[in-house]
């Protein structure tokens, strides 16, 4: 079969960066807005009533996102993750998923959400549109801790309902992201493990990261992956299992007693830059080749001045071919003070 297709007319040409890393995953942030103010992501002192979020006309349209995705697919992208801000705030998101699901070369579409807007109907509509997997963020099972972390007094039960809605819609197993912060929710590590053991869902413990410049990150606030693992292992012994594929961000473990799987994302203490095949597209069409970059590459301007697919592809190739990002492997107290894109803008 010819590697070109009628949508773009482009020939497939997988890209490789200077460290031999292919481009496989694209994370698409569809909005910089959120209805939560998680302390580790969008502290309300910074993201207050006067914060200048992007005006609607600055956002990529669905057509623009799909066009870029089809060009990126020709460069090797197979997996998309829709994120934000809170992606379910973007109107008609189901429509975008349906359009992306028809894009040649795209094999998998996932969504990361805080769960606050994931009703049963929404979950079903997303699944029918072609969403394959969902990750729901939840940092504690105790209301007082969770409400302090999301800082909008959003209750735990509503997020648990969202997880059940995803399950009922056929989006199981659901991944549950828990950011572990020293002295804030570290005591919830075991409770989360216990609650989701045997459910078929997968809790992913995430080391608190120095993304952006707003969250006041300090190394002392990080609970290292080794400690998270030790705490769980002491109660319910675990063993590591192989990744699904190279470049997977979470290290996978299963309980010896058959209680299921967990993941640990140790971006701070066990950097995984060597296998990083991810690119990130901001809501206004800037491409970031690292979560910790300070500068994006402007695809929107090129789309809006009418560049062809070939031109867009060549621009992407010119960026990826010289990529040498490995921020987490080089992190120091000094690097974390550099100017970096905010997590709520680029989506994790
Ligand atoms: N609003 C959605 C949500 O919370 O799931 C999607 C966007 S959010 C930026 C994506 C993920 O990044 C969430 O699981 C969130 O917990 C995580 N995150 C945000 N700030 C973080 C930080 N400083 N360190 C580690 N993870 C963080
Ligand atoms: Fe919003 Fe997600 Fe950031 Fe929390 S982590 S403020 S839910 S974007
Ligand atoms: Fe990839 Fe940058 Fe994270 Fe390293 S620090 S894994 S290059 S996003």
């Amino acid at each position: 079969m010819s590697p070109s297709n009628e949508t773009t007319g482009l020939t497939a040409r997988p890209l490789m960066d200077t460290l031999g890393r292919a481009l496989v995953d694209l994370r698409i942030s569809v909005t910089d807005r959120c209805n939560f103010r998680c302390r580790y992501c969008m502290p309300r002192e910074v993201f207050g009533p006067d914060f200048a979020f992007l005006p609607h006309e600055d956002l990529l349209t669905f057509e623009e996102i799909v066009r870029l995705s089809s060009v990126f697919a020709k460069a090797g992208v197979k997996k998309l993750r829709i994120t934000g801000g809170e992606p379910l705030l973007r109107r008609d998101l189901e429509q975008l998923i349906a359009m992306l699901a028809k894009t040649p070369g795209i094999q998998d579409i996932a969504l990361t959400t805080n769960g606050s807007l994931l009703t049963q109907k929404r979950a079903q509509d997303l699944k029918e549109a072609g969403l394959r997997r969902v990750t729901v963020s939840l940092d504690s099972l105790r209301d007082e801790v969770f409400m302090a972390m999301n800082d909008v007094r959003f209750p735990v039960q509503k997020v648990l309902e969202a997880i059940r809605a995803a399950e009922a819609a056929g989006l199981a197993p659901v991944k549950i992201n828990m950011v572990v912060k020293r002295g804030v929710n570290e005591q919830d590590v075991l409770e989360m493990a216990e609650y989701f053991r045997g459910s078929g869902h997968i809790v992913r413990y995430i080391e608190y990261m120095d993304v952006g410049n707003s969250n006041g990150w300090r190394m002392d606030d990080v609970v290292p992956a080794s400690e998270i693992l030790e705490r769980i292992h002491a109660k319910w012994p675990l063993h590591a299992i192989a990744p699904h594929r190279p470049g997977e961000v979470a290290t996978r473990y299963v309980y010896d007693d058959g209680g299921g799987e967990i993941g640990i994302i140790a971006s701070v203490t066990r950097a995984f830059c060597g296998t990083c095949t991810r690119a990130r597209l901001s809501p206004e069409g800037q491409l970031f080749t690292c979560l910790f970059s300070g500068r994006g590459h402007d695809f929107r301007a090129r789309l809006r001045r009418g560049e062809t697919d070939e031109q867009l592809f060549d621009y992407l190739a010119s960026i990826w071919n010289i990529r040498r990002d490995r921020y987490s492997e080089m992190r120091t107290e000094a690097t974390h003070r550099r100017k970096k894109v905010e997590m709520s803008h680029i989506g994790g």
Side-chain angles (χ1 to χ4, degrees):
M1 207 168 72
S2 159
S4 66
N5 77 53
E6 60 293 347
T7 321
T8 66
L10 282 174
T11 301
R13 182 154 65 86
L15 299 179
M16 200 69 88
D17 73 9
T18 58
L19 300 176
R21 299 170 297 187
L23 172 58
V24 182
D25 315 70
L26 180 64
R27 300 191 170 189
I28 304 173
S29 174
V30 293
T31 177
D32 60 338
R33 291 167 200 256
C34 188
N35 53 346
F36 283 15
R37 285 292 177 274
C38 302
R39 303 288 315 154
Y40 53 70
C41 179
M42 293 182 88
R44 61 171 64 252
E45 307 83 80
V46 178
F47 296 88
D50 298 330
F51 186 83
F53 291 102
L54 293 169
H56 191 75
E57 61 274 18
D58 281 2
L59 303 182
L60 291 185
T61 64
F62 288 173
E63 287 70 23
E64 287 170 332
I65 293 173
V66 172
R67 172 122 184 268
L68 284 182
S69 300
S70 70
V71 171
F72 277 57
K74 290 293 170 186
V77 167
K78 295 178 178 55
K79 300 177 59 172
L80 302 178
R81 177 167 293 278
I82 309 301
T83 175
E86 174 44 45
L88 293 177
L89 286 176
R90 182 87 188 243
R91 202 177 311 142
D92 299 327
L93 190 75
E94 297 74 0
Q95 210 181 309
L96 174 65
I97 305 275
M99 290 160 77
L100 291 170
K102 294 194 195 93
T103 304
I106 299 304
Q107 299 170 0
D108 187 28
I109 307 177
L111 173 81
T112 306
T113 171
N114 63 24
S116 60
L117 302 166
L118 192 62
T119 58
Q120 187 63 70
K121 160 114 177 58
R122 202 90 201 262
Q124 257 150 12
D125 289 350
L126 287 162
K127 166 80 178 166
E128 275 160 33
L131 188 72
R132 298 239 339 244
R133 296 176 303 126
V134 68
T135 298
V136 178
S137 303
L138 178 62
D139 297 319
S140 173
L141 289 163
R142 292 182 292 156
D143 262 336
E144 71 274 22
V145 176
F146 185 53
M147 286 178 176
M149 288 183 83
N150 64 53
D151 209 11
V152 292
R153 303 205 57 73
F154 198 84
V156 172
Q157 272 314 318
K158 289 262 181 206
V159 183
L160 294 176
E161 277 168 30
I163 295 167
R164 283 194 286 273
E167 181 177 0
L171 290 163
V174 178
K175 288 185 180 148
I176 294 129
N177 276 1
M178 172 182 178
V179 177
V180 186
K181 208 173 158 190
R182 179 74 77 202
V184 176
N185 64 340
E186 60 185 301
Q187 64 279 46
D188 299 86
V189 164
L190 280 181
E191 205 183 333
M192 286 284 276
E194 179 165 36
Y195 185 87
F196 287 104
R197 266 167 53 81
S199 69
H201 304 314
I202 302 169
V203 179
R204 302 195 320 164
Y205 299 92
I206 306 179
E207 285 180 347
Y208 172 43
M209 291 186 278
D210 52 334
V211 199
N213 303 97
S214 299
N215 62 10
W217 182 89
R218 296 177 317 139
M219 190 65 206
D220 288 352
D221 294 332
V222 178
V223 181
S226 55
E227 192 180 321
I228 296 172
L229 186 63
E230 270 162 33
R231 286 190 192 198
I232 305 171
H233 184 75
K235 180 124 194 220
W236 299 288
L238 293 150
H239 58 274
I241 55 167
H244 287 297
R245 60 182 188 97
E248 195 167 27
V249 292
T251 312
R252 303 171 65 206
Y253 299 89
V254 289
Y255 294 106
D256 293 353
D257 67 2
E261 179 177 336
I262 64 160
I264 303 196
I265 303 180
S267 149
V268 179
T269 63
R270 266 191 256 135
F272 36 77
C273 301
T275 55
C276 179
T277 54
R278 290 172 292 285
R280 296 172 161 88
L281 190 63
S282 75
E284 78 281 38
Q286 299 263 330
L287 186 75
F288 288 80
T289 57
C290 177
L291 180 54
F292 300 90
S293 302
R295 195 178 71 88
H297 305 271
D298 190 359
F299 274 84
R300 188 189 62 196
R302 289 165 185 269
L303 280 165
R304 294 192 181 171
R305 68 173 175 250
E307 288 202 356
T308 64
D309 290 339
E310 286 76 12
Q311 287 172 312
L312 294 170
F313 185 99
D314 289 346
Y315 183 48
L316 172 60
S318 75
I319 296 163
W320 198 264
N321 287 340
I322 60 165
R323 175 182 187 243
R324 50 194 179 90
D325 302 291
R326 40 193 289 272
Y327 177 91
S328 288
E329 288 181 353
M330 305 187 319
R331 177 185 285 106
T332 63
E333 284 296 322
T335 54
H336 96 78
R337 271 183 273 276
R338 279 189 208 156
K339 180 178 172 292
K340 291 167 281 165
V341 65
E342 288 297 325
M343 186 69 137
S344 56
H345 197 93
I346 202 68

